[in-house]
């Protein structure tokens, strides 16, 4: 796989980086990334991954653009209100970088279709905000052996984690928390979506190019009000319903 003159110019700031360079940029071009949720987190993640020259981005989201999305979902313009998100996103991302193939899927990821959607991808980013979808994405990633970059935001706090086999996301969140909150109810600062979504893209770029130390098995927690970041290690749960011994032995 070689680069055109235009690609060499487009990716010039990557090509001079020791940790990316030509080989890393080739890996980005060959990469197929699935982004679940084209909302607050998926929007900046998709923009940065398309800009970075990821070869294929599959976007899964069943929603249409609402006016209340525009406070943080930077993929969309005011004129996009009412449009199917993944279609508006595909147009925007293709305009940003025509070298990136965008595969839009205007569908809800469920337990039934998750494995088929995850299969054929090198990496999955999950920026959805409901636990049923998160559990389905995680189970499919465990089953397909695909690394998961997971992000979450609410109010003024965000978190990012990377899961490759064990521990998995379900080791961190075994069951749906009784006090589960959504941004629609409790609110979220728009710029926080930019921070966490961009961190998800950054971890994806590190994983694809083998640069540095990914957040694998760790959770980074950003408290925006306090302007503090901490990183905690995630333990593998032997009784995990997604990756635990019982699950593995029954296939
Ligand atoms: Zn697990």
């Amino acid at each position: 796989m070689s680069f055109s003159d235009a690609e060499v110019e487009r990716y010039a700031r990557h090509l001079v980086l020791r940790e990316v360079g030509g080989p890393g940029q080739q890996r980005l071009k060959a990469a197929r990334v699935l982004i679940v949720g084209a909302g607050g987190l998926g929007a900046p993640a998709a923009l940065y991954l398309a800009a970075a020259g990821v070869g294929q981005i599959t976007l899964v989201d069943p929603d249409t653009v609402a006016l209340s999305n525009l406070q943080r979902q930077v993929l969309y313009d005011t004129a996009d209100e009412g449009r199917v998100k993944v279609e508006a996103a595909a147009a925007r991302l293709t305009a940003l970088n025509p070298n990136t193939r965008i595969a839009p899927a205007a569908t809800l990821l469920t337990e039934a279709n998750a494995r088929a959607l995850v299969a054929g991808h090198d990496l999955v980013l999950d920026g959805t905000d409901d636990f049923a979808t998160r559990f389905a994405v995680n189970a499919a990633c465990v089953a397909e052996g695909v690394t998961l970059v997971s992000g979450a935001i609410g109010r003024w706090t965000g978190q990012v984690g990377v899961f490759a086999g064990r521990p998995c996301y379900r080791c961190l969140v075994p069951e749906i928390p009784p006090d589960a909150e959504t941004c629609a109810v409790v609110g979220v600062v728009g710029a926080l979506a930019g921070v966490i979504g961009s961190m998800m893209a950054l971890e994806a770029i590190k994983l694809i190019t083998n640069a540095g130390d990914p957040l694998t098995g760790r959770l980074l927690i950003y408290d925006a009000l306090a302007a503090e970041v901490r990183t905690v290690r995630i333990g593998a749960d032997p009784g995990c319903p997604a990756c635990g011994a019982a699950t593995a032995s029954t296939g």
Side-chain angles (χ1 to χ4, degrees):
M1 211 188 297
S2 62
F3 292 118
S4 66
D5 289 349
E7 285 175 297
V8 170
E9 186 173 350
R10 180 185 287 268
Y11 305 127
R13 301 299 183 277
H14 274 167
L15 295 172
V16 298
L17 280 177
R18 186 166 55 93
E19 296 81 1
V20 181
Q25 196 62 49
Q26 295 279 10
R27 287 192 202 103
L28 287 166
K29 188 173 179 173
R32 295 155 302 175
V33 175
L34 171 69
I35 300 178
V36 186
L41 298 175
L47 284 166
Y48 275 115
L49 291 182
V54 165
Q56 182 185 318
I57 297 174
T58 306
L59 275 174
V60 180
D61 196 305
D63 292 340
T64 54
V65 178
L67 207 51
S68 63
N69 297 154
L70 302 182
Q71 168 252 19
R72 65 201 174 285
Q73 299 182 18
V74 292
L75 263 173
Y76 312 112
D77 297 323
T78 304
D80 290 325
E81 189 186 356
R83 281 185 82 184
V84 173
K85 278 188 178 178
V86 293
E87 287 174 8
R92 173 76 193 282
L93 295 167
T94 301
L96 172 61
N97 190 350
N99 302 300
T100 298
R101 290 185 310 279
I102 308 297
T107 185
L108 180 69
L109 184 145
T110 64
E111 260 180 54
N113 65 12
R115 275 191 77 163
L117 285 166
V118 167
H121 292 91
D122 304 301
L123 195 60
V124 173
L125 274 62
D126 183 1
T128 60
D129 73 348
D130 79 278
F131 285 98
T133 307
R134 289 173 166 276
F135 286 180
V137 172
N138 176 66
C141 286
V142 170
E144 295 291 327
V146 177
T147 299
L148 170 64
V149 180
S150 180
I153 49 172
R155 303 177 199 247
W156 295 84
T157 304
Q159 59 183 48
V160 191
V162 174
F163 303 91
R166 309 196 69 209
C168 77
Y169 176 80
R170 199 77 187 266
C171 293
L172 174 70
V173 185
E175 300 301 332
I176 296 176
D179 57 348
E181 296 179 336
T182 66
C183 291
V185 176
V186 301
V188 65
V189 189
L192 179 64
V195 172
I196 300 299
S198 299
M199 280 187 176
M200 292 169 72
L202 194 48
E203 286 302 312
I205 290 166
K206 285 165 58 187
L207 288 160
I208 292 165
T209 60
N210 297 321
D213 299 315
L215 265 175
T216 310
R218 295 183 291 157
L219 188 70
L220 182 150
I221 301 158
Y222 177 47
D223 177 346
L225 273 184
E228 284 180 352
V229 178
R230 66 195 170 96
T231 305
V232 296
R233 198 156 284 285
I234 301 162
D237 176 2
C240 173
C243 77
T247 313
S249 64
T250 55

